[in-house]
Amino acid sequence: KKNKFQTIICIIILLIILVPPAIPTFIYLIDAIILNISFENLTEFIVFITVAVLLFASGFAVKTGHISLLHSYHYRNVVDRENYCKAMGKGIMFMSIPTLIYSLTTLFPLIHIIQVSGSAILIIGYTISIGLLFKYQYKYNGGLF
């Protein structure tokens, strides 16, 4: 109980020391975001958010064992279906991360560095995800098909 109390006191002291200097920076960032956000690309934002949610949901379903979401030729030779589902599900779920990040960048069309960064994250993230899926497919199925 004494250790727990000391830990709580240390956390409170750290928060008292660190939070006040961070507040102006936080307010500046929020103002910068609000001033630069644009809803001109709202349709694109909604589409990419929807794709991210669908990728995550389908990846989660595959990860929990719903192998039928994949085409049968992808798991025809798989012996260890449980680990195959976990691996493929994680790979599909990973694809939702760059999609989600890119969707957020579509709200800032006037800030070119954000647009370029978002596109780079999307391309790199998908490349890594597809590489992981190929790796798992070779490992558990013995080939892509």
Side-chain angles (χ1 to χ4, degrees):
K1 287 185 177 182
K2 187 177 178 182
N3 258 351
K4 187 175 182 180
F5 181 73
Q6 288 174 344
T7 304
I8 291 171
I9 294 297
C10 286
I11 290 172
I12 291 171
I13 290 171
L14 278 173
L15 288 175
I16 290 171
I17 292 170
L18 296 176
V19 169
I23 290 174
T25 304
F26 182 72
I27 291 171
Y28 173 77
L29 288 174
I30 295 298
D31 285 344
I33 289 171
I34 290 172
L35 290 174
N36 288 304
I37 199 165
S38 170
F39 293 102
E40 294 172 9
N41 297 341
L42 193 58
T43 305
E44 187 177 359
F45 170 74
I46 291 170
V47 167
F48 276 99
I49 285 283
T50 304
V51 169
V53 168
L54 290 173
L55 280 169
F56 186 84
S58 60
F60 186 78
V62 170
K63 183 179 178 226
T64 57
H66 297 281
I67 198 167
S68 61
L69 292 174
L70 303 174
H71 197 283
S72 62
Y73 65 72
H74 285 297
Y75 59 87
R76 184 179 337 184
N77 300 324
V78 174
V79 176
D80 186 2
R81 289 195 176 188
E82 182 179 344
N83 286 326
Y84 174 76
C85 285
K86 287 180 183 178
M88 292 299 280
K90 286 178 187 177
I92 295 169
M93 288 169 62
F94 184 80
M95 288 180 95
S96 69
I97 296 169
T99 309
L100 177 65
I101 293 170
Y102 180 77
S103 70
L104 295 173
T105 66
T106 62
L107 295 175
F108 300 94
L110 301 177
I111 304 174
H112 297 293
I113 188 69
I114 291 178
Q115 290 293 301
V116 171
S117 300
S119 298
I121 289 169
L122 187 67
I123 291 167
I124 292 167
Y126 271 35
T127 303
I128 292 169
S129 298
I130 291 169
L132 286 173
L133 293 174
F134 284 175
K135 174 186 168 188
Y136 300 143
Q137 192 65 22
Y138 273 108
K139 179 178 180 180
Y140 292 102
N141 196 41
L144 288 179
F145 304 105

